Amino acid sequence: MRKPRDYDAELQALTDKAKALKTKKQGQLGELVIATGADALSIEQLAGALLDAVGADVSMKEGWRKSGAAFFRDRGTHARKGTRSNAGGASASDAGAQSPAGEAGAA
């Protein structure tokens, strides 16, 4: 005779796994913000950059994806220098350039 499945235990395990993944993703996003130097921006600047990034066209997002991939390949050494040099006057597209890559890497 087959052992009955415990759906409640399986559902609880999936819920716990989802919470752990969400916590990990938030941690990685925080690490990315610090690694790129975006923590030097005010919260309003960072929010504005991210909002602009969400509404950007596909070709711009592809360029950001490529620079984000290069950032992770180079462990951020080259990309971080470029970000820090623009930290005072970074445009919305500059700060948002790293965020989409971080989300893709966190997933």
Side-chain angles (χ1 to χ4, degrees), residues 39-62:
D39 57 334
L41 299 173
S42 72
I43 193 72
E44 293 85 4
Q45 289 173 323
L46 188 56
L50 291 172
L51 288 171
D52 284 348
V54 169
D57 64 7
V58 175
S59 63
M60 189 174 286
K61 287 181 182 180
E62 177 61 18

Side-chain angles (χ1 to χ4, degrees), residues 16-37:
D16 292 344
K17 185 175 181 179
K19 285 181 185 179
L21 288 172
K22 184 176 181 180
T23 301
K24 182 179 177 182
K25 184 177 179 180
Q26 287 175 339
Q28 288 175 331
L29 182 59
E31 291 171 7
L32 182 63
V33 167
I34 293 168
T36 59

